[in-house]
């Protein structure tokens, strides 16, 4: 600083932690005009210029362009509006980066090739309405022409992905996995088979009861078969037999059927179709995307019950054929 309280361009650059060419550029653009010139014609800057220079540096660090900075310096009251606009721009950039991150993570975890990364990128960038339509089309295809129980059909139509405007990394990952699953022909066929079974049973009278009673029966499987799994009870053991009998009774009551061999065959087939881990995973992904609490995964308990039910039936067939 000289005797007049002015700084040379080198001094002001050092104080502002900028390079001399950068300070010269800001000065040439009219953002930080010099307060005067030295006897040799060199630029000199005062304290106000240093304050302006620090503001310019800060705004540039925040991504504000030169033209907008000039507006703020001309009218400080515009700073709040500029900050709001910058926040919105940064939020857009963050969303874009999260999409990129989700796509790259999808590729690395699945070790996919170039066609898959292009498809994943398209799916990740779908707007909300198209995301919902993708799943709505799956449900429509899987239920087309089938006589569905009205409450069940309404439930299916309501369960569409609702990814928030600012999804978490987990929600973005879940959406990509779900979108990939929805496009898988094997998965679509599995969904169709499940709904065909529902419609056939409904039209034949095999499927009776109501969604509430069915949900209670499914909860009984989670509770009883879950305890059996936790206790390490093998499905074919003697200890499994009373659990099977109790669950069959619960399901017969829920479906308003009597416990007879035909019902047990029907029940085993129904559980086999329903205990598809892909369908279970679909519902869990949907819950994650929609930000709701996922239901417990019923597949392990359902498969234990199915194995116990089939082994009990095999023992009965063997006992019936044995000599007396």
């Amino acid at each position: 600083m000289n005797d007049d309280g002015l700084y040379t361009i080198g001094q002001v650059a050092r104080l502002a932690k900028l390079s001399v060419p950068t300070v010269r550029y800001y000065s040439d653009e009219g953002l930080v005009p010099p307060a005067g010139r030295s006897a040799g014609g060199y630029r000199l800057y005062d304290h106000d210029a240093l304050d302006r220079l620090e503001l310019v540096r800060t705004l540039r660090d925040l991504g504000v362009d030169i033209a907008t900075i000039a507006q703020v310096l001309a009218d400080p009251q515009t700073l709040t509006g500029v900050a709001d606009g910058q926040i919105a721009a940064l939020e857009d950039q963050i969303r874009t980066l999260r999409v990129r991150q989700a796509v790259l993570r999808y590729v690395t975890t699945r070790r996919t090739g170039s066609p898959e990364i292009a498809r994943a990128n398209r799916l990740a960038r779908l707007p909300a309405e198209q995301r919902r339509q993708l799943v709505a089309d799956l449900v429509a295809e899987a239920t087309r022409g089938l006589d569905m129980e009205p409450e069940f059909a309404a439930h299916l139509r309501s369960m569409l992905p609702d990814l928030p405007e600012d999804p978490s990394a987990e929600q973005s990952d879940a959406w990509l996995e779900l979108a990939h699953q929805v496009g898988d022909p094997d998965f679509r066929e599995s969904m169709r088979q499940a709904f065909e079974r529902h419609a056939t049973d409904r039209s034949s009278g095999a499927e009776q009861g109501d969604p509430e009673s069915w949900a209670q029966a499914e909860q009984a499987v989670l509770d009883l078969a879950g305890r059996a799994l936790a206790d390490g009870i093998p499905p074919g053991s003697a200890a499994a037999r009373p659990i099977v009998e109790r669950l069959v009774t619960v399901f017969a009551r829920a479906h308003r059927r009597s416990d007879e061999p035909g019902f047990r065959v029907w029940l085993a087939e129904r559980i086999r179709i329903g205990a598809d881990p892909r369908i279970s995973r679909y519902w869990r992904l949907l819950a994650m995307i929609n930000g709701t609490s996922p239901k417990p995964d019923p597949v392990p308990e359902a498969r234990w019950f199915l194995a116990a039910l089939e082994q009990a039936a095999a023992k009965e067939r063997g006992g019936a054929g044995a000599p007396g």
Side-chain angles (χ1 to χ4, degrees):
M1 180 187 301
N2 62 20
D3 294 339
D4 295 327
L6 299 176
Y7 301 94
T8 66
I9 193 170
Q11 290 171 331
V12 82
R14 186 166 56 254
L15 290 170
K17 296 181 174 58
L18 293 169
S19 68
V20 170
T22 299
V23 175
R24 185 178 293 114
Y25 170 70
Y26 291 158
S27 186
D28 291 342
E29 290 294 318
L31 302 179
V32 188
R37 295 269 180 174
S38 69
Y42 294 103
R43 307 180 207 207
L44 297 173
Y45 298 88
D46 58 12
H47 285 291
D48 288 342
L50 180 59
D51 290 342
R52 287 168 68 91
L53 189 57
E54 289 180 342
L55 177 58
V56 172
R57 185 197 63 193
T58 300
L59 293 175
R60 288 298 291 149
D61 287 345
L62 294 173
V64 182
D65 59 79
I66 295 294
T68 304
I69 292 174
Q71 294 175 14
V72 172
L73 292 171
D75 182 5
Q77 292 185 358
T78 63
L79 180 58
T80 300
V82 168
D84 287 339
Q86 201 65 16
I87 288 171
L90 286 172
E91 287 174 346
D92 286 341
Q93 292 177 30
I94 290 169
R95 280 192 290 270
T96 299
L97 289 173
R98 282 180 176 167
V99 167
R100 292 175 183 172
Q101 182 187 47
V103 171
L104 292 172
R105 188 162 43 232
Y106 176 86
V107 171
T108 56
T109 55
R110 292 179 175 268
R111 302 193 181 280
T112 57
S114 54
E116 274 299 308
I117 189 173
R119 180 173 181 271
N121 190 45
R122 287 195 301 272
L123 291 172
R125 296 176 185 279
L126 284 179
E129 189 55 39
Q130 290 186 33
R131 283 195 297 266
R132 293 170 65 86
Q133 190 59 47
L134 192 67
V135 178
D137 289 345
L138 166 68
V139 173
E141 176 186 320
T143 60
R144 186 172 293 116
L146 301 179
D147 179 22
M148 307 293 292
E149 197 279 328
E151 287 187 38
F152 183 57
H155 172 68
L156 289 176
R157 286 193 295 271
S158 70
M159 293 298 289
L160 298 175
D162 194 16
L163 197 62
E165 186 69 20
D166 187 20
S168 66
E170 292 76 14
Q171 286 174 312
S172 296
D173 290 348
W175 160 247
L176 274 178
E177 184 180 342
L178 181 136
H180 174 82
Q181 193 172 12
V182 164
D184 180 17
D186 290 340
F187 174 72
R188 298 174 83 93
E189 178 60 26
S190 178
M191 288 281 282
R192 176 69 183 183
Q193 288 177 2
F195 293 142
E196 283 179 343
R197 164 62 68 179
H198 172 85
T200 299
D201 291 340
R202 174 175 158 77
S203 61
S204 68
E207 181 71 283
Q208 300 183 54
D210 56 76
E212 183 178 352
S213 62
W214 303 337
Q216 290 172 353
E218 290 168 1
Q219 185 61 48
V221 174
L222 289 174
D223 294 340
L224 298 177
R227 264 198 304 273
L229 280 169
D231 294 340
I233 298 175
S237 66
R241 190 61 181 267
I243 300 173
V244 170
E245 296 304 314
R246 185 173 173 185
L247 284 173
V248 169
T249 299
V250 169
F251 273 91
R253 187 184 308 118
H255 293 281
R256 298 172 187 168
R257 301 272 300 273
S258 60
D259 178 9
E260 40 83 23
F263 172 72
R264 294 196 174 205
V265 171
W266 173 86
L267 180 59
E269 181 60 23
R270 194 176 191 277
I271 294 171
R272 186 176 296 106
I273 292 175
D276 185 335
R278 295 173 301 177
I279 295 177
S280 177
R281 179 63 177 167
Y282 168 85
W283 292 114
R284 291 182 69 80
L285 290 170
L286 199 57
M288 193 180 303
I289 292 167
N290 290 341
T292 58
S293 299
K295 294 181 180 179
D297 182 4
V299 170
E301 290 83 357
R303 289 192 165 184
W304 184 94
F305 178 36
L306 176 62
L309 184 63
E310 291 179 331
Q311 292 185 48
K315 287 181 181 178
E316 286 184 3
R317 289 194 298 271

